[in-house]
Amino acid sequence: MRILSFLALFLCCLACQTDPATTPPPVSDELKAALAAFQIADGFQIELVAAEPLLGDPVAMEIDEDGRMYVAEMSGYPLDLSKKGCIKILTDTTGDGYPDKATIFADSLLLPTGVMRWREGIIVTDPPNVYYLADTNGDNKADVRKVLLTGFALSNPQHNLNNPMFGLDNWIYLAHQWAFTPTVCKEFSDEGSEIRFPDQPSAARLGKNADDRNVRFKPDSYEMEALASETQFGQAFDAWGRHFLTENANHIYQEVLEARYLQNNPNLLVPNAAESISDHETNCEVYPITEKPDHQLLTDVGVITSACGITYYLGGAFPAAFNSNTTFVAEPSHNLVHVDRISEKGAAFNASRILVEKEFLASKDAWFRPVNFYIGPDGALYVVDYYRQIIEHPEWMSEEVNKSGALYNGTDKGRIYRITPKKGLPMNWLNKLQLSKKSDEELVSLLANDNIWYRRTAQRLLFQRKTKAIDALKKLASISSKSEGRVHALWLLEGLGQSGKAELEANLAHPEAGLRENALKILEKHPDWANELASKITALQKDPSPRVRFQLLNTLGVLKTLPAGETAKINILERDIDDQWVQMALIAGSAGRESELLTLAENKFGQQLTEKQAVFISILATTIANAGEQNALAKLWEGHNNAVQAALFKGLSQLWDYQGVPNWVKESQKLKLLTNMKAETPAALRRAALELIQVCGVPESVRNRMSSEALLALRNPKANADYRADAIALQALIHPDIQRQELMKLVIGTEPLPLRQAALAGLSKCSGIGAADFVTNNWTKLDSTLRDQAIGLLMATPQNCQGLLTAIAAQKINRDAISWPRMVRLMNNDDEKVRNQARKVLAGNGLAREAVYASYQTALHQQGNASKGKMIYQRACQICHTLKGQGVAFGPDLGSVRNRRAESILQEIIIPNHSIADKYELWQVALKGGKNAQGIVTSKTSTTVSLKTLSGQTQTYSRNEIVSMEQAANSAMPEGLEAGITVSEMADLLAYIKGEK
């Protein structure tokens, strides 16, 4: 009987994959036109599966083990909270394989964003909740509705919780990110609360809105964890469990360093756990064919701007060029589907275009809105088409459109297509699969199927059944020729508590790198076996795959006592030092052993450090210092070669500059630092020591002596210029006024530039306003290379700021000398007098923003000169924006707006608070010790928050150091920046931004 059952299963799978292609039923003329509007890559075809009136506003779909097709409909987008959302089951009543009947499985949902089969029902994400819905009487209507999780933010629906997925490791993954609360509708301002299991108060909990990160959970055991990164709408895994994410303009990025590894060392300040992997960049160009595009006022035309639904194709049925290592991303704003090829690039991956200047799928129909995908049991790629006139959120549209009534045009429509190879694939699975009736042994064989749908479904069923087919699983995990089957079997065994050392050992030596990675991950949970296999584990330090070597570092961070583990770590570091993720993984896995790691690294690196090696040593110093253990700190202070010592000092000064100097640093430590302030000390070491002295201070007992020595060095024209510059900086910490006159002479003299820069910096430390007056009165004598630094001096105090603004008003100093970030600081200054004076002087004529906008309207009708516009951009914009690879990446890349209408770009320049681009909000951060920081949040991990400052630099803060975070009410770009740009120059600038010839 068992032989017969396997034969039946084989024939069933063969029928699903090799039957002749089926013919879709006839459709209306409107739907024929929609199909005719598509252009698809060579070798493929697209056909309609379902459409209105069966569907309306579909956003996600699921096919269960018996071929039932569930569709989530979000009719309330963007602003309707009247609970119109629902889940439908689509069925075939005619026997042609295509759905012709829709049954509402569950209604009264708010804004459902995802659906996944689970046990006898489905899991639905519908912020703020995650529901379990089930039908217990067979009428295709849910009579069980249970809240599994709650507390997620209810904000802009584009940013809400979505797309649950059953992972390779038996966890359920939830795509999720930070709350974005729109100004147009306060009902969407719920930023969330603690994430919790409402029926189990004592179970695992996460912070408010899961600290704005992705979440994974296990409903049966009430386990839950926040991941290291976040994603917008959609997530994907490759065959080996690597996690790929997407967000608007950043169409593909990867979580590289997992939260569980980061949490091993909370003292490591990691700026980001994810990496953008597109080699054609964020805001990449797309190639739409839309005939009558209906782009809204703030749509970034011609570039990816609404990426969602990322899917890693694992269906096993596509032509070779697309059948593996391929991702698809929906771009609804441009009515297309983008495709990339994924290749290995160190610990991370690289995504590159497969097609040249064309997209995988594009439509001439402006209402085609692909938002999600699904890999079906037939291996086809199903495309979920929201089919709306408008997809943009009202936050980014004109008031005219918002009030037009067009927001919900098309809410009664929606389509699901399937993409197959040109020869077609059979559509014979709907309500016909019956995997629920298969034996456990039959399901085990499906774990090796070419199609991820069968593999994932079989694993889920076996996991939920708590299968007893352990022998079959062990055989599959050990000797199967199908690598994908092995990895599913390994994780299923682990999830059932039935892992075996023999199976893990066999896969440590498997030719497939993904299997070696996963065997290492599972061995982390079995330290006794790991010790027995230590030599085979550590041998992977020489593995040809950088991904395996990277995973070994992470695993050794968990298996801390593995023999020869520390040597293996340092050998991997030496080989892969240029990979930032290797550096981070090594330190993350060395909590409590950082000092030993430092010794090993110093011995390995030798007397001279490469730039990457120096960065590693500095990060190591920061991590040790952040832990605050005195004996470890003391070892950082001395006893190292010059290059390592300089890198250690740099790491300490970077940390303590914002965190404050610990009480451990006494006079004796400061005196040791000062021994480096000698002419014979190597310049790099002396400068690093000086930076740390500037943070720690000079002891009172030696101030006079050090001041005298510094003054002698300054006055010695034969001394090395760098040494004299360092002496000036040291004197500025002790008696800055004593060198005032000599510094003034140097500033406007002809000494080497580093010396004049040091002199100007020294002047900024002098008391009173004399230094500021000197700079103002000698502005025309200042070398152009010093003027930006001089503005810093003139902004050092509120009194100096007022003098600067007075000089600008009197035209002693040109307004253009003030960079954009400094204008922001002046116009948003804490001192009310400075703030008001700055807005009066820098913002021009004081007209209301709308009036100023109107006064520049004529620029829209002038023929701008792009060459001249480039000079305007360099003068006024590139200090905080990038365009064509030039500038500082603080604000959005202006290349992303080049295809907007000119009036939209002009409005953003004149009225910056009109709309603030996602993730470019300005944040005020209060730190322990009374310090504050300001900038744009670039990333959040389980242990850190990273801010990009107005200078374009990124500073990473430990979550433990943050007292509060508050979003500023206004844009980081202050009003009035156009005051230095004439109407004709504005026309030139618009021409340059838009790329006109």
Side-chain angles (χ1 to χ4, degrees):
M1 292 297 294
R2 178 171 293 181
I3 293 174
L4 288 176
S5 65
F6 272 115
L7 180 60
L9 178 66
F10 172 75
L11 292 173
C12 169
C13 295
L14 193 63
C16 284
Q17 296 177 12
T18 62
D19 278 2
T22 45
T23 302
V27 297
S28 67
D29 288 344
E30 180 184 356
L31 294 172
K32 286 180 182 176
L35 285 165
F38 286 119
Q39 286 185 8
I40 194 166
D42 293 343
F44 291 91
Q45 66 181 26
I46 184 167
E47 65 181 42
L48 185 69
V49 174
E52 66 273 3
L54 289 183
L55 295 177
D57 296 326
V59 294
M61 63 176 281
E62 170 73 302
I63 299 169
D64 76 6
E65 58 270 20
D66 292 330
R68 280 185 292 263
M69 183 177 181
Y70 298 86
V71 178
E73 296 186 352
M74 188 202 293
S75 298
Y77 178 84
L79 302 174
D80 187 346
L81 292 174
S82 60
K83 294 190 175 182
K84 294 180 180 177
C86 69
I87 306 296
K88 287 180 178 176
I89 292 182
L90 303 189
T91 52
D92 169 25
T93 65
T94 64
D96 65 359
Y98 291 82
D100 52 71
K101 179 183 177 182
T103 303
I104 294 179
F105 180 75
D107 58 11
S108 300
L109 296 172
L110 203 58
L111 293 162
T113 56
V115 55
M116 188 200 94
R117 178 68 167 170
W118 184 249
R119 295 204 171 276
E120 305 306 316
I122 54 175
I123 287 174
V124 174
T125 49
D126 186 26
N129 301 319
V130 177
Y131 291 108
Y132 173 70
L133 306 174
D135 165 26
T136 61
N137 58 19
D139 64 354
N140 279 348
K141 295 181 182 293
D143 46 63
V144 173
R145 182 179 296 219
K146 176 184 177 182
V147 178
L148 297 178
L149 294 174
T150 192
F152 293 97
L154 178 61
S155 66
N156 180 335
Q158 296 179 7
H159 299 270
N160 286 343
L161 164 80
N162 63 87
N163 284 290
M165 290 187 71
F166 185 70
L168 183 63
D169 55 5
N170 309 300
W171 288 79
I172 296 170
Y173 286 76
L174 303 173
H176 179 241
Q177 70 171 179
W178 48 277
F180 179 82
T181 53
T183 60
V184 297
C185 188
K186 297 303 180 185
E187 290 83 355
F188 288 87
S189 61
D190 175 13
E191 296 183 352
S193 57
E194 274 193 326
I195 309 301
R196 57 200 181 276
F197 294 95
D199 63 336
Q200 286 288 330
S202 61
R205 287 178 173 241
L206 301 178
K208 179 180 176 181
N209 200 38
D211 293 327
D212 304 330
R213 291 177 285 133
N214 295 324
V215 172
R216 68 177 187 174
F217 77 112
K218 292 184 176 181
D220 297 345
S221 56
Y222 295 97
E223 296 173 75
M224 178 168 52
E225 297 176 359
L227 305 186
S229 304
E230 45 83 25
T231 189
Q232 191 170 358
F233 189 84
Q235 58 178 331
F237 295 93
D238 71 0
W240 316 108
R242 299 136 177 172
H243 205 179
F244 297 88
L245 313 165
T246 190
E247 178 188 20
N248 278 349
N250 192 1
H251 72 279
I252 182 167
Y253 56 102
Q254 173 198 354
E255 180 173 292
V256 185
L257 198 51
E258 297 177 35
R260 60 199 180 96
Y261 298 131
L262 280 175
Q263 290 163 353
N264 282 336
N265 197 341
N267 295 310
L268 172 63
L269 302 179
V270 176
N272 203 339
E275 180 175 326
S276 297
I277 64 170
S278 169
D279 65 6
H280 39 299
E281 306 300 333
T282 58
N283 293 118
C284 74
E285 288 202 50
V286 290
Y287 302 94
I289 62 171
T290 317
E291 290 187 339
K292 295 180 180 179
D294 190 15
H295 297 304
Q296 299 306 307
L297 183 65
L298 299 180
T299 300
D300 296 336
V301 182
V303 294
I304 285 230
T305 185
S306 57
C308 57
I310 186 170
T311 297
Y312 203 110
Y313 182 74
L314 298 168
F318 276 8
F322 297 86
N323 201 41
S324 61
N325 301 321
T326 304
T327 56
F328 295 92
V329 172
E331 169 55 26
S333 288
H334 288 89
N335 322 108
L336 57 84
V337 173
H338 182 76
V339 64
D340 283 323
R341 176 169 288 115
I342 308 301
S343 57
E344 196 173 76
K345 184 184 177 183
F349 287 87
N350 180 71
S352 56
R353 294 183 189 271
I354 295 179
L355 304 173
V356 179
E357 294 189 359
K358 67 179 295 187
E359 300 300 339
F360 179 77
L361 176 70
S363 176
K364 299 175 185 177
D365 185 353
W367 285 36
F368 171 58
R369 306 294 191 178
V371 295
N372 222 334
F373 305 98
Y374 189 86
I375 299 170
D378 50 359
L381 182 69
Y382 288 74
V383 182
V384 180
D385 176 10
Y386 198 57
Y387 206 78
R388 284 275 193 99
Q389 179 185 357
I390 295 173
I391 197 77
E392 290 86 344
H393 192 273
E395 189 78 7
W396 318 117
M397 296 192 299
S398 68
E399 280 299 307
E400 180 184 1
V401 175
N402 285 343
K403 294 176 180 178
S404 70
L407 284 181
Y408 297 95
N409 286 354
T411 191
D412 58 337
K413 298 179 183 294
R415 290 90 189 264
I416 294 176
Y417 300 93
R418 72 173 188 144
I419 295 174
T420 69
K422 197 72 174 179
K423 63 182 180 181
L425 292 169
M427 181 75 180
N428 59 0
W429 52 264
L430 192 60
N431 306 116
K432 297 178 182 177
L433 294 176
Q434 306 302 312
L435 264 65
S436 65
K437 297 179 181 179
K438 302 300 179 184
S439 69
D440 285 8
E441 287 79 7
E442 290 171 318
L443 291 177
V444 168
S445 69
L446 283 178
L447 295 175
N449 194 276
D450 287 340
N451 187 344
I452 186 62
W453 185 88
Y454 281 98
R455 300 202 302 270
R456 186 177 287 146
T457 302
Q459 180 175 343
R460 175 178 56 79
L461 290 172
L462 290 165
F463 180 72
Q464 291 172 173
R465 290 180 185 181
K466 294 183 169 58
T467 181
K468 303 298 182 183
I470 304 304
D471 289 344
L473 282 173
K474 286 181 175 288
K475 183 177 180 181
L476 177 63
S478 299
I479 64 174
S480 174
S481 61
K482 289 293 188 74
S483 301
E484 291 86 350
R486 283 182 175 237
V487 78
H488 283 275
L490 284 174
W491 278 109
L492 191 48
L493 286 165
E494 179 61 26
L496 297 169
Q498 296 293 330
S499 284
K501 185 181 77 169
E503 294 81 54
L504 294 171
E505 181 177 7
N507 286 287
L508 280 176
H510 195 277
E512 170 54 55
L515 272 173
R516 302 196 296 276
E517 279 184 60
N518 280 278
L520 284 170
K521 287 184 177 182
I522 296 172
L523 276 166
E524 294 169 14
K525 305 173 187 295
H526 303 282
D528 291 342
W529 295 346
N531 281 327
E532 293 172 25
L533 298 172
S535 61
K536 295 186 176 181
I537 292 173
T538 55
L540 295 177
Q541 65 187 281
K542 298 180 180 179
D543 197 280
S545 167
R547 282 287 313 175
V548 174
R549 299 194 299 272
F550 175 69
Q551 182 55 50
L552 177 59
L553 277 182
N554 288 315
T555 297
L556 291 174
V558 177
L559 303 172
K560 299 181 185 300
T561 60
L562 200 71
E566 296 303 307
T567 301
K569 285 181 183 180
I570 205 69
N571 288 339
I572 295 173
L573 176 67
E574 183 180 30
R575 177 173 180 174
D576 298 324
I577 186 69
D578 288 344
D579 191 330
Q580 61 164 331
W581 298 110
V582 167
Q583 297 188 22
M584 295 299 179
L586 179 53
I587 299 175
S590 300
R593 295 184 174 184
E594 294 92 345
S595 295
E596 299 171 36
L597 180 58
L598 174 60
T599 300
L600 287 170
E602 184 169 4
N603 291 338
K604 202 76 170 179
F605 295 160
Q607 297 291 320
Q608 300 295 323
L609 299 183
T610 66
E611 181 181 351
K612 297 290 186 179
Q613 289 172 339
V615 168
F616 173 75
I617 297 294
S618 292
I619 296 172
L620 200 52
T622 299
T623 307
I624 294 171
N626 204 27
E629 202 280 312
Q630 291 190 10
N631 289 334
L633 268 173
K635 294 177 182 178
L636 300 181
W637 223 253
E638 58 184 347
H640 305 277
N641 68 54
N642 292 335
V644 169
Q645 192 65 68
L648 291 172
F649 285 161
K650 280 184 175 294
L652 294 175
S653 60
Q654 288 166 2
L655 177 69
W656 291 342
D657 185 48
Y658 83 87
Q659 199 178 79
V661 181
N663 293 331
W664 171 84
V665 179
K666 305 294 185 184
E667 181 171 329
S668 58
Q669 281 75 38
K670 296 177 184 179
L671 292 175
K672 288 178 182 177
L673 268 182
L674 287 166
T675 61
N676 294 289
M677 297 307 298
K678 299 174 181 176
E680 59 269 25
T681 303
L685 176 58
R686 186 178 62 242
R687 183 57 54 86
L690 175 61
E691 289 173 3
L692 189 51
I693 292 167
Q694 289 171 329
V695 174
C696 296
V698 179
E700 189 66 36
S701 62
V702 296
R703 289 172 70 86
N704 289 337
R705 176 172 63 82
M706 296 306 300
S707 173
S708 298
E709 291 178 4
L711 201 57
L712 285 173
L714 169 60
R715 292 171 175 171
N716 181 4
K718 295 181 180 180
N720 177 273
D722 287 336
Y723 175 53
R724 293 175 70 194
D726 291 342
I728 291 172
L730 181 62
Q731 185 71 269
L733 297 174
I734 306 170
H735 298 308
D737 292 333
I738 201 172
Q739 56 184 355
R740 184 195 302 260
Q741 295 302 318
E742 282 152 305
L743 296 184
M744 288 178 177
K745 293 177 184 178
L746 283 174
V747 167
I748 57 176
T750 58
E751 295 279 5
L753 179 61
L755 195 55
R756 285 181 285 136
Q757 290 173 327
L760 191 54
L763 270 182
S764 69
K765 303 297 182 182
C766 293
S767 60
I769 62 172
D773 286 344
F774 169 81
V775 169
T776 301
N777 294 330
N778 289 276
W779 184 257
T780 58
K781 298 179 183 179
L782 287 183
D783 189 302
S784 60
T785 56
L786 291 178
R787 287 187 175 180
D788 187 65
Q789 183 185 351
I791 294 295
L793 183 154
L794 295 175
M795 290 180 59
T797 67
Q799 192 174 15
N800 284 5
C801 286
Q802 291 177 49
L804 169 62
L805 292 166
T806 299
I808 292 172
Q811 298 185 346
K812 288 185 176 181
I813 295 177
N814 194 308
R815 179 187 181 279
D816 291 344
I818 313 296
S819 65
W820 186 81
R822 284 173 168 154
M823 287 191 186
V824 174
R825 285 174 51 195
L826 288 167
M827 293 185 186
N828 295 328
N829 201 279
D830 291 337
D831 187 282
E832 185 177 2
K833 290 182 179 179
V834 173
R835 186 167 63 248
N836 291 339
Q837 186 181 3
R839 294 186 178 194
K840 181 179 179 181
V841 172
L842 300 177
N845 53 25
L847 293 174
R849 287 292 93 197
E850 289 75 13
V852 175
Y853 177 55
S855 72
Y856 277 86
Q857 288 287 304
T858 55
L860 300 173
H861 308 292
Q862 295 182 14
Q863 182 65 48
N865 183 310
S867 297
K868 293 181 179 179
K870 180 177 181 180
M871 291 186 287
I872 306 302
Y873 165 76
Q874 291 171 338
R875 186 183 83 204
C877 307
Q878 75 171 9
I879 191 68
C880 283
H881 293 278
T882 54
L883 180 61
K884 301 177 182 178
Q886 294 183 337
V888 176
F890 178 71
D893 184 340
L894 296 185
S896 68
V897 303
R898 66 183 180 273
N899 292 318
R900 284 190 192 176
R901 292 177 295 186
E903 56 266 37
S904 168
I905 300 173
L906 178 63
Q907 187 175 44
E908 294 303 296
I909 294 171
I910 305 298
I911 313 175
N913 290 318
H914 176 259
S915 68
I916 302 173
D918 286 1
K919 288 207 164 181
Y920 287 97
E921 302 87 359
L922 189 65
W923 287 84
Q924 308 286 350
V925 179
L927 303 167
K928 290 180 179 178
K931 291 193 174 185
N932 295 288
Q934 184 185 69
I936 291 170
V937 175
T938 57
S939 66
K940 297 179 180 179
T941 73
S942 56
T943 57
T944 64
V945 173
S946 294
L947 285 183
K948 184 178 287 185
T949 66
L950 292 169
S951 65
Q953 301 298 310
T954 298
Q955 178 67 59
T956 300
Y957 300 94
S958 168
R959 285 182 179 268
N960 295 331
E961 288 295 315
I962 296 174
V963 177
S964 65
M965 294 181 62
E966 182 177 348
Q967 185 178 326
N970 297 320
S971 166
M973 179 174 174
E975 297 174 345
L977 292 183
E978 78 291 334
I981 302 174
T982 66
V983 172
S984 62
E985 287 177 333
M986 185 66 75
D988 296 337
L989 177 61
L990 292 173
Y992 179 64
I993 291 174
K994 288 183 65 59
E996 296 175 2
K997 302 298 183 183

